[in-house]
Amino acid sequence: MTAYEIISKKRDGHPLSSEEIGFFINGYTLGKIPDYQMSALLMAIYLKGMDEEESRALMESYLHSGQTINLDHIPGIKVDKHSTGGVGDKVSIILAPIVAAAGVIVPMISGRGLGHSGGTLDKLESIPGFTVDYNIDEFKNKLEQTGVCLIGQTAELAPADKKIYALRDVTATIQSIPLIGASIMSKKIAEGIDALVLDVKTGVGAFMTEYDQAVRLAKSLIHIGENAGKKTIAYITDMNNPLGYTVGNWLEIEECIECLQGKGPDDLMEITHQLAGAMIYLGRKTGSVDSGIELSKNLVNDGKAWEKFLEIVKTQKGDTEILLNPEKYPRSEFQTEYISPQNGWIESINAFEVGTTAVHLGAGRLKSDDRIDYKAGIRFHKKAGQKVEKGTPIFTIYTDKKELVQDSVKRLAHVIIIEPDPVSPPKMILDYIA
Ligand code: URA
């Protein structure tokens, strides 16, 4: 068996055996197969797809590239949430403290920015000192201490995903159901959960732009999860417009602070409470998802979720002072507003264009070794469904790259559709699949 033969077989549209998949993923993780051959296989999988058996074998090869965590010694049901990726999607950071404050154990292995979409780990690391690199024992200790711990893939946990994720990010091979499935589910199964709530996004800013593709992805993720003995459910949610008002790592953390202090925008809080409510219910803290949603809202209103967030940040070595005084965070050298040229109602703001612009401004990576500028990004002052008045700002961009300011403003201005008549805000939660 050679890497070349396996690449050719997939290129020609033939299914790969479990042994071939295992040989390739293991060889790549150990550094025996080079990036250029892995890239070729990723593109072949992207173009030719994988059947159910191949998808399961791919996820298992990722999972067995590292260890799996046993959390049986920690009492209680362990529930996590994962999103398939979006723009302005900061839900995990708001929801993890809410659900932990409800008493559910939340082990969370998250990802970094991928393509035009942001990553929970990069956002958390914009908090000075915040650490996401822990070994398994440290992860378990923190989980016991706070009831929640947010980390990234490590050399011990799904290392194949860590390496392949970074390669997919720069080889245009992200939007593939088997590759997303193996990436998400290997991390989730490795972390020792009992149940999982998935947020499968659809729309121009999602990896699954079409609704039917999102449903297929949701079903595939549920199939993998249930086969592994994990209760898995999914919500299909809208990702045509950026979620909330901010896109970019620190800007999004600032918005999370507002959300946890009860001042979050409707679209973001609707999804957060729905997913948190489902997690609280699956963690058996309430008798229904609706009462889980009620509890989620109460935990934000009475300040318990915010206190839990401060506790998480402190436990993971982050600076809580800056969260209490966010105005002290360094700001981008260039902050440029775009002023509405007309009166009207915002019909839509293309999330893909917003995500891509944010990456160029410095909020994401164009090459796998790029350093992120945590300050960079975009803050919207108006959202889809809201009224705008001529002469008032619609968004502000933040960057240190002077040469990009004018082009970025122009690019974004083009993707904001303003209608003369009132427009309703988009429906956020489109479906539930179990
Ligand atoms: N999130 C992940 O962890 N992996 C993907 O491939 C997409 C979203």
Side-chain angles (χ1 to χ4, degrees):
M1 200 183 317
T2 66
Y4 182 93
E5 283 162 359
I6 296 171
I7 297 166
S8 331
K9 194 168 167 190
K10 186 39 68 188
R11 179 202 61 199
D12 296 340
H14 303 297
L16 301 178
S17 68
S18 307
E19 290 72 32
E20 286 165 331
I21 293 170
F23 167 83
F24 211 109
I25 300 302
N26 193 34
Y28 179 64
T29 311
L30 296 176
K32 293 183 190 157
I33 292 178
D35 279 356
Y36 55 83
Q37 283 188 313
M38 188 72 229
S39 304
L41 183 67
L42 289 173
M43 188 54 82
I45 294 174
Y46 177 92
L47 294 171
K48 300 293 175 174
M50 279 184 146
D51 63 25
E52 231 168 56
E53 190 46 35
E54 289 175 287
S55 301
R56 189 198 49 75
L58 187 66
M59 189 287 288
E60 285 193 352
S61 66
Y62 276 38
L63 179 66
H64 296 134
S65 69
Q67 299 176 37
T68 50
I69 303 179
N70 185 325
L71 296 175
D72 289 350
H73 65 291
I74 305 177
I77 298 176
K78 289 97 200 167
V79 189
D80 192 8
K81 165 262 172 191
H82 200 85
S83 152
T84 56
V87 178
D89 182 1
K90 49 201 79 78
V91 170
S92 290
I93 300 170
I94 312 164
L95 152 160
I98 297 178
V99 178
V104 179
I105 306 293
V106 186
M108 195 177 263
I109 302 180
S110 299
R112 297 197 176 278
L114 195 60
H116 66 279
S117 87
T120 298
L121 297 180
D122 297 324
K123 293 172 202 189
L124 288 169
E125 283 182 342
S126 73
I127 303 170
F130 196 98
T131 305
V132 296
D133 297 317
Y134 291 109
N135 64 35
I136 293 179
D137 286 339
E138 289 167 327
F139 177 66
K140 285 182 178 174
N141 288 343
K142 295 201 185 302
L143 206 50
E144 266 185 290
Q145 212 180 318
T146 5
V148 50
C149 186
L150 301 111
I151 61 166
Q153 305 101 308
T154 64
E156 296 166 294
L157 289 171
D161 181 49
K162 187 178 167 86
K163 258 186 113 174
I164 295 169
Y165 195 89
L167 198 59
R168 283 169 62 213
D169 193 20
V170 290
T171 54
T173 52
I174 299 168
Q175 292 91 334
S176 149
I177 290 179
L179 293 177
I180 296 177
S183 167
I184 293 181
M185 297 310 288
S186 60
K187 290 191 284 260
K188 301 290 119 176
I189 292 167
E191 68 189 7
I193 48 165
D194 300 303
L196 177 63
V197 176
L198 293 162
D199 182 4
V200 178
K201 303 230 167 263
T202 184
V204 291
F207 295 132
M208 298 292 115
T209 50
E210 301 303 321
Y211 180 79
D212 291 352
Q213 290 175 318
V215 171
R216 267 199 292 133
L217 174 60
K219 289 187 173 161
S220 165
L221 296 171
I222 290 171
H223 183 75
I224 297 173
E226 296 281 341
N227 256 341
K230 316 292 176 191
K231 175 74 195 152
T232 309
I233 62 167
Y235 290 89
I236 311 283
T237 68
D238 182 78
M239 187 29 76
N240 281 300
N241 296 275
L243 198 50
Y245 283 101
T246 60
V247 179
N249 301 287
W250 174 255
L251 296 174
E252 293 193 44
I253 292 291
E254 280 187 321
E255 190 168 26
C256 291
I257 297 172
E258 286 165 18
C259 292
L260 286 164
Q261 293 180 343
K263 294 172 280 185
D266 291 348
D267 60 340
L268 180 54
M269 291 317 292
E270 184 187 352
I271 293 185
T272 301
H273 287 309
Q274 181 72 50
L275 300 177
M279 289 173 77
I280 292 168
Y281 166 66
L282 290 177
R284 304 221 185 110
K285 295 295 172 190
T286 56
S288 67
V289 175
D290 282 347
S291 44
I293 293 174
E294 255 340 278
L295 180 54
S296 173
K297 290 181 180 168
N298 291 341
L299 290 164
V300 171
N301 291 337
D302 65 16
K304 295 223 168 69
W306 169 238
E307 274 167 35
K308 193 58 151 179
F309 184 58
L310 291 173
E311 189 188 339
I312 296 169
V313 173
K314 195 160 170 227
T315 311
Q316 298 200 218
K317 302 188 194 147
D319 177 2
T320 48
E321 275 308 303
I322 200 77
L323 299 180
L324 296 166
N325 304 286
E327 69 288 350
K328 293 195 178 150
Y329 201 82
R331 290 293 158 188
S332 296
E333 213 175 312
F334 303 99
Q335 299 179 25
T336 304
E337 281 184 344
Y338 171 69
I339 304 294
S340 180
Q342 66 196 92
N343 291 323
W345 275 262
I346 298 191
E347 194 267 329
S348 62
I349 301 174
N350 183 306
F352 174 78
E353 293 292 336
V354 172
T356 308
T357 306
V359 170
H360 281 90
L361 291 173
R365 298 176 190 82
L366 291 164
K367 294 192 286 358
S368 51
D369 56 354
D370 278 351
R371 271 177 72 99
I372 288 187
D373 173 4
Y374 293 125
K375 315 180 294 315
I378 303 151
R379 184 191 301 278
F380 288 91
H381 306 288
K382 295 286 173 184
K383 291 177 60 64
Q386 294 181 353
K387 189 175 179 189
V388 281
E389 277 168 27
K390 185 175 171 177
T392 59
I394 298 186
F395 64 82
T396 305
I397 62 163
Y398 295 76
T399 189
D400 287 347
K401 300 180 184 176
K402 185 175 181 193
E403 68 285 6
L404 293 186
V405 172
Q406 287 317 320
D407 276 358
S408 304
V409 171
K410 233 192 262 166
R411 179 176 184 167
L412 288 179
H414 270 110
V415 301
I416 298 175
I417 310 297
I418 302 178
E419 297 289 349
D421 299 317
V423 183
S424 308
K427 183 170 170 355
M428 296 310 297
I429 299 169
L430 306 175
D431 214 339
Y432 166 71
I433 300 183

